[in-house]
Amino acid sequence: MTARSTATAPSATYGAVLGSRYVARLLGGTLIGRLPNGMVPVSLVLWITAGGGSLAFAGLLAAIYGLASGLSQPVKGRLMDRYGQTRVSVPAVLLNSSCLVALPWIGADGQPAAVTAVVGFAGLITPPLEAGLRALWPTALPDAGRRRVVQALDTGSQGLLYIVGPLLASWLATAHNPDTALWATAALGLAGSSIVLSAGPSRYWRPAADGPPGTGRLMSTGLVLLFTALAGTGFALGAMNVWAADMAATHQMATLSGVLPAAFSTGSFLGGLVYARRTWPGTTTTQLITTSTLFLLGWLPLLADPGPRAAVALAGIPGLFLTLIITNGFHTVDALAPSSRTTEAYAWLILSVGTGQAAGTALAGALSLGPQVLAVLPAAGAATALTVLLVARPKLGPGRRLGRHRRPRRSRPRPRSRTTRSLRPLTAPATKGRCHLA
């Protein structure tokens, strides 16, 4: 790279990326808007049990909400590809928040059928913020290097939702009452969604114009195999949560059930920071397989049945590679899915991980025979994911190199990105060092 190209290449430091227009707003708003994903299950359990309901019914409601939310993601993603984000997410967040606010009015000791119906409907209409955000990055950050950094930050920060969310819901329910926890959950979802949906990139976003919006064959062999592999990754996550709970029971340390997943999520966040900080060799396909291999190896020390302190330290090792797997999974979707249906494809990826996680939780719960046995299941899920990826490698395409500073081979201007489409300029022409909407 010449001195001139280095001088003119856009900076991809964290400060430059987060300082780019709309980036901090979109990322922060999405994190706030998705806090209910971590708060609703805990809030529902505490709300039902405080009202005299059974723990079994409370757990069923939490499961229904999560399942309905996950299964409806691809449908909402396809609707967004067809009609835009505003017309889909605004009604969704208003109805979702209204349902959560209505639950205390119905009462935990009210009709179980009514409560179940409201919870299920709230899950079905959760706003698809994560898939929507992924679709916005090419518009908000046209530079591939900066986009690579923010996507890693986006993925790495997701684990924090499931640390902060449950803790916040528990504190609100304890310090005030479970009704307050539900109201606060609804308010946070509405506030975060409003921050994102009122931003220019979301309001003016339209799917890429490579055909009628929402059309084109989506499920290629490569995508099906990719989603199957990521379901194995999700299986490892679900089994880990049950393993952590069993470790807490075995060692009579209740805090382990929360500390072990927190250590894993912390590793995931740190892994994302390291990954985004520099350029790594190989294509996205190579990186996906390499990081999946390291993810599997990270689970192996836990098979030795370590003590509580060692287990907390070791739990962070596989977490280091989770963000890398998911980030490269999204990049692979970019390469394989029709650009007019990327939001739907992102939603399928999210659903694949969530479905695998639910399966891992269910199987680990059914086979709860001690930490040594349960520690095998996360490794088994990681091994399944790696095996599928190795088989799928020819179908995943050659991938693309994600250098932080890429230049065209010729000096002629690069063609406009397909994802920026024909949006009217929202700002003055872009200047050096800043990213504007095209």
Side-chain angles (χ1 to χ4, degrees):
M1 184 177 292
T2 64
R4 180 181 176 185
S5 66
T6 302
T8 59
S11 173
T13 62
Y14 295 128
V17 170
L18 293 175
S20 299
R21 192 179 185 194
Y22 293 117
V23 169
R25 176 176 178 174
L26 293 174
L27 185 59
T30 300
L31 290 175
I32 295 171
R34 294 187 63 228
L35 268 176
N37 292 351
M39 295 178 66
V40 167
V42 175
S43 298
L44 287 174
V45 169
L46 296 176
W47 178 65
I48 289 294
T49 54
S54 68
L55 183 61
F57 180 55
L60 176 63
L61 290 179
I64 288 175
Y65 184 89
L67 185 62
S69 176
L71 292 177
S72 62
Q73 286 291 324
V75 175
K76 290 177 286 192
R78 184 162 191 177
L79 290 174
M80 289 175 68
D81 282 333
R82 183 177 293 272
Y83 300 109
Q85 298 197 357
T86 302
R87 295 173 65 183
V88 175
S89 290
V90 169
V93 69
L94 290 175
L95 290 171
N96 176 267
S97 297
S98 298
C99 288
L100 295 177
V101 170
L103 286 175
W105 178 77
I106 297 173
D109 56 349
Q111 293 294 327
V115 172
T116 303
V118 171
V119 169
F121 184 67
L124 284 174
I125 56 176
T126 51
L129 293 177
E130 183 177 1
L133 180 64
R134 290 284 175 172
L136 292 179
W137 288 135
T139 300
L141 283 176
D143 176 68
R146 291 188 175 190
R147 191 160 64 246
R148 172 181 172 273
V149 172
V150 80
Q151 286 173 333
L153 288 174
D154 178 11
T155 303
S157 61
Q158 301 306 314
L160 300 179
L161 298 175
Y162 299 96
I163 299 175
V164 176
L167 290 175
L168 180 59
S170 299
W171 176 77
L172 288 170
T174 303
H176 301 279
N177 55 66
D179 289 354
T180 302
L182 286 171
W183 291 330
T185 300
L188 286 170
L190 185 61
S193 298
S194 299
I195 292 172
V196 174
L197 298 174
S198 62
S202 178
R203 288 188 292 114
Y204 292 97
W205 182 87
R206 295 295 182 274
D210 63 346
T215 62
R217 184 173 181 267
L218 175 62
M219 285 300 179
S220 63
T221 302
L223 279 179
V224 171
L225 291 173
L226 173 67
F227 296 154
T228 302
L230 292 177
T233 303
F235 183 95
L237 305 183
M240 176 200 63
N241 291 327
V242 179
W243 165 75
D246 205 71
M247 283 283 291
T250 299
H251 296 280
Q252 297 183 349
M253 297 175 62
T255 55
L256 281 179
S257 61
V259 171
L260 287 170
F264 179 89
S265 297
T266 301
S268 177
F269 181 68
L270 295 177
L273 293 180
V274 173
Y275 176 74
R277 192 66 185 86
R278 54 161 294 182
T279 301
W280 299 90
T283 64
T284 53
T285 302
T286 302
Q287 291 185 17
L288 180 60
I289 292 175
T290 301
T291 52
S292 294
T293 302
L294 295 173
F295 184 66
L296 169 59
L297 295 176
W299 291 109
L300 298 183
L302 296 174
L303 301 179
D305 192 24
R309 291 184 180 180
V312 171
L314 291 173
I317 296 177
L320 289 171
F321 307 105
L322 177 64
T323 293
L324 285 63
I325 294 173
I326 302 300
T327 299
N328 282 294
F330 276 113
H331 290 318
T332 305
V333 168
D334 287 337
L336 297 179
S339 55
S340 62
R341 296 182 68 176
T342 51
T343 309
E344 182 185 355
Y346 295 151
W348 276 106
L349 188 153
I350 296 166
L351 174 59
S352 299
V353 176
T355 302
Q357 188 169 357
T361 301
L363 182 59
L367 301 177
S368 184
L369 300 174
Q372 285 181 302
V373 175
L374 293 180
V376 176
L377 294 180
T384 301
L386 177 59
T387 301
V388 174
L389 287 175
L390 291 173
V391 173
R393 183 167 191 164
K395 300 294 185 180
L396 299 179
R400 55 189 175 91
R401 296 184 181 274
L402 295 170
R404 291 169 58 193
H405 304 302
R406 296 186 62 190
R407 286 173 56 83
R409 294 184 178 181
R410 291 181 285 273
S411 59
R412 66 186 182 188
R414 292 191 303 175
R416 294 181 64 183
S417 170
R418 291 188 303 172
T419 52
T420 58
R421 296 158 301 278
S422 58
L423 294 177
R424 297 177 60 188
L426 299 180
T427 67
T431 57
K432 178 181 176 181
R434 296 191 62 185
C435 292
H436 297 285
L437 289 176

